[in-house]
Amino acid sequence: MIHPLDPRTAPGSTLYAARPAEISPAEWRARVDLAAAYRLASRHGWDDQIYTHISMRVPDRDNAYLMNPYGFRFEEITASNLLLVDTQGNVIDGTGRRGNPTGFAIHGAVHHARADAHCVMHLHNDAIIAVGALKQGLLPLSQHAMRFWNHISYHDYEGLALSAAEQGRLLASLGNNSAMLLRNHGSLTCGRTVAEAYVLMFDLDKSCMTQLAAMSASDQLVQPSDEVLHQTQANLALGPTPDGELEWASLLRKLLREEPDFNT
């Protein structure tokens, strides 16, 4: 169904109008969505200078995904300046530009292992790093956090370099979950769409900020019963269709108004 307010489908929308002739419509749509995710992450303060990444599998190419070129801030990302790489970390767009090797290691491993992980977000969010450094990790203290109850992974920090052996351990830590705290390091979410990975990251970040605020105010924390947590988590769990579609359409409208160069 065409929604008159969804810039991805609305008649006359300029969202995808700048597509170069040499890039397929499917890849260009992925590029525009991914560039939007970078700009939105920058607005939240989720960027860490030039050192974190959001990647998107290219819909019409095997073993290829898009991510930011090394040295660009999130606010500088556009649909056309994203890198095209393979799951082994090789830049295959013919430009000779560089990517961050650690980013290739994390994103390439997840894209290769998880068919459902079309978009992978790896960030260094302040609140998530702090909660990941707590022994108890994320607690179900807010409704946002309850969606992750018993459905979030943890991976212990092993240093800056991500070896092939650690790639395997990271994937084992992630399992079938769509969100993970990288202890002493950052966050990871993966989604069937950019929208799904983004809303998961939004909820995870808000969950951690809320937990830190509650813990700083008192050590007398109130947690719902396991029965309520089971019910709430089931209600908020990901379903058969990707989450975040309505939210994503509204966010794209905002970017088209305020940062109209992201889709160029």
Side-chain angles (χ1 to χ4, degrees), residues 118-130:
H118 292 290
C119 179
V120 178
M121 298 187 74
H122 165 52
L123 304 175
H124 297 164
N125 330 49
D126 294 351
I128 295 180
I129 294 172

Side-chain angles (χ1 to χ4, degrees), residues 90-153:
N90 303 302
V91 178
I92 56 175
D93 58 16
T95 63
R97 294 177 297 166
R98 294 176 60 206
N100 187 322
T102 302
F104 290 155
I106 294 174
H107 290 257
V110 177
H111 281 302
H112 183 72
R114 289 275 298 267
D116 63 323
H118 292 290
C119 179
V120 178
M121 298 187 74
H122 165 52
L123 304 175
H124 297 164
N125 330 49
D126 294 351
I128 295 180
I129 294 172
V131 170
L134 300 175
K135 186 174 183 179
Q136 66 267 48
L138 182 64
L139 300 173
L141 300 178
S142 65
Q143 183 169 277
H144 286 86
M146 292 176 203
R147 82 175 302 169
F148 302 107
W149 189 62
N150 289 340
H151 287 77
I152 190 165
S153 300

